[in-house]
Amino acid sequence: LECKSFDQCLAVLEAGEEEMDVDVQKDETGVDTVAAMWLIKGKVFDFQQNRMKAAYWYQECVKRDVHCFEAFELLIDNHMLTAQQERELLSSLSFKEEDAWLQVFYHSRVKKYDLSVSHPVNDESLEPFPFLANSLDLMAIEAEFSYYHNNFAKCYEQTQAILSRDPFAHSCLPVHLSSLVELQLKRELFIDAHKLVDDHSDSAAAWYAVGCYYYLTQKFEQARRHFHKATSINPYFAPAWLGYGHTFAAQDESDQALAAYRTASRFFCGCHLPTLCIGMEYAKTGNLQIAEQFFGHAAGICSFDPLAFNEIGVVRFLQRDYDEAATAFEKVLQLCGQQ
């Protein structure tokens, strides 16, 4: 795998599976070797950009061994599953009594779009597990939840607290930097971008930060170059792909914007935002029927986002289908009322 000899890696894994007893859960060291092999197999398909097979093996891995957090994290962080698929995966996992804390943690990871809850994890769930009270991972989940619920000031406050405790807690950087853009905090973004490039120049997040700064200052060509550099370092860094598309959309270059959003949609099939952006570009150019199809697809991927239903309502209104437009807008109000 490290040598990028992917075909040979798969051959070794398949040969190993044939020789192993899949009914044996764990070896003498406590490691489920079969689950570990499935994790590696998923990574191989990931490197080959076969996201469907990668997602399958990551799911099989975590179903077999719920302690394989890496597989679960790859599924969630890389937007490989729709919101419904995430819930189905969680319902299929078997947690032992001593793993109840892990079950709470896993469930908190899949609620970032859910408008029916005020927090990804409630205090009652945490009471039996006081060791989770000051967990940076849970703080990062709270920050991500705040960002996707449009509470950017709270998100920034939370990510600042995380980074002040652990400057290397880079899992919160995407929402931290994106919240700075939403709050238009140019100075803070400039400082963070410089620090990240100086300390972590090989990180996609560092160049994403630079791109965000240029995007905020409306220097879209410079922003585009840095977003592209971020995707070159890590092709699966979703925020950079969206930022890359936004730079074209901001200059009304719809064809290039659509190409960027389509790439993001292909890589991150569990994220509705690229599909939503594609629909917006088609709506902007007057292709309302195609736009409606993409808005419907986005709503199917994530049924919690009122923006998708709002766009459906706008398209139907422009098509003079007022009853259907009213139905879509009522859905928007229903979702917003859950906040």
Side-chain angles (χ1 to χ4, degrees):
L1 181 65
E2 293 298 324
C3 296
K4 303 189 186 308
S5 300
F6 302 126
D7 291 337
Q8 187 175 355
C9 182
L10 282 176
V12 171
L13 289 170
E14 289 170 1
E17 285 183 65
E18 291 176 1
E19 297 175 3
M20 293 187 66
D21 184 358
V22 294
D23 295 327
V24 177
Q25 291 295 312
K26 295 184 179 180
D27 61 17
E28 61 276 6
T29 64
V31 175
D32 190 323
T33 310
V34 174
M37 292 173 69
W38 289 351
L39 173 63
I40 297 172
K41 185 179 284 190
K43 288 183 176 181
V44 170
F45 288 119
D46 229 345
F47 276 117
Q48 294 178 329
Q49 297 189 2
N50 190 334
R51 303 283 275 172
M52 189 174 294
K53 282 191 175 180
Y56 171 80
W57 286 110
Y58 290 149
Q59 289 182 84
E60 291 301 303
C61 172
V62 75
K63 285 177 184 177
R64 181 178 173 89
D65 183 7
V66 294
H67 297 101
C68 192
F69 175 71
E70 185 177 359
F72 181 78
E73 188 174 43
L74 286 166
L75 286 167
I76 303 302
D77 289 349
N78 290 340
H79 307 281
M80 302 179 81
L81 303 176
T82 66
Q84 178 62 30
Q85 288 172 331
E86 288 176 353
R87 292 194 295 270
E88 289 173 357
L89 174 63
L90 283 176
S91 65
S92 69
L93 300 182
S94 299
F95 293 93
K96 296 179 181 177
E97 187 176 349
E98 61 267 25
D99 296 328
W101 67 272
L102 187 62
Q103 186 174 14
V104 170
F105 187 80
Y106 277 16
H107 276 270
S108 69
R109 288 298 316 268
V110 302
K111 293 183 178 179
K112 60 188 174 189
Y113 296 120
D114 192 348
L115 297 176
S116 65
V117 295
S118 58
H119 293 282
V121 56
N122 57 51
D123 294 336
E124 291 180 4
S125 300
L126 290 177
E127 277 182 8
F129 318 110
F131 58 89
L132 288 178
N134 295 316
S135 166
L136 288 178
D137 290 321
L138 278 184
M139 289 176 66
I141 292 168
E142 285 275 2
E144 185 180 45
F145 181 87
S146 298
Y147 179 81
Y148 284 109
H149 284 233
N150 298 323
N151 195 340
F152 306 120
K154 185 177 181 181
C155 174
Y156 176 58
E157 179 184 331
Q158 292 166 325
T159 54
Q160 279 287 83
I162 294 168
L163 293 169
S164 64
R165 283 180 54 187
D166 181 4
F168 297 98
H170 288 182
S171 62
C172 71
L173 280 179
V175 293
H176 172 73
L177 298 168
S178 299
S179 66
L180 288 174
V181 174
E182 296 290 348
L183 296 169
Q184 298 189 10
L185 297 176
K186 298 177 185 177
R187 178 178 173 275
E188 290 82 353
L189 189 51
F190 179 85
I191 293 170
D192 284 353
H194 264 276
K195 184 172 176 56
L196 284 168
V197 170
D198 288 342
D199 297 342
H200 308 283
S201 60
D202 60 342
S203 164
W207 299 105
Y208 173 69
V210 179
C212 285
Y213 173 76
Y214 282 122
Y215 182 84
L216 188 55
T217 56
Q218 297 188 356
K219 296 179 180 178
F220 299 120
E221 291 186 9
Q222 291 95 321
R224 189 177 306 141
R225 287 201 300 270
H226 289 93
F227 285 141
H228 185 264
K229 184 165 185 175
T231 63
S232 299
I233 294 172
N234 180 4
Y236 296 145
F237 193 72
W241 278 111
L242 288 173
Y244 187 62
H246 292 345
T247 62
F248 289 114
Q251 295 181 308
D252 292 327
E253 298 181 28
S254 287
D255 289 343
Q256 292 91 332
L258 286 169
Y261 294 143
R262 284 195 186 100
T263 301
S265 178
R266 187 176 75 251
F267 281 168
F268 314 109
C269 55
C271 181
H272 71 294
L273 297 177
T275 307
L276 190 61
C277 290
I278 292 172
M280 288 178 174
E281 284 303 306
Y282 277 118
K284 190 163 65 174
T285 56
N287 295 302
L288 298 182
Q289 287 187 331
I290 299 176
E292 185 178 8
Q293 291 175 8
F294 280 100
F295 292 144
H297 183 45
I301 295 172
C302 179
S303 59
F304 299 117
D305 192 348
L307 181 57
F309 293 98
N310 183 74
E311 295 300 323
I312 291 173
V314 169
V315 168
R316 289 175 177 169
F317 179 83
L318 293 174
Q319 293 173 330
R320 302 181 184 276
D321 190 347
Y322 300 122
D323 290 338
E324 290 296 322
T327 301
F329 290 137
E330 286 170 0
K331 178 68 174 179
V332 174
L333 294 173
Q334 177 190 343
L335 289 171
C336 290
Q338 293 176 354
Q339 287 187 297

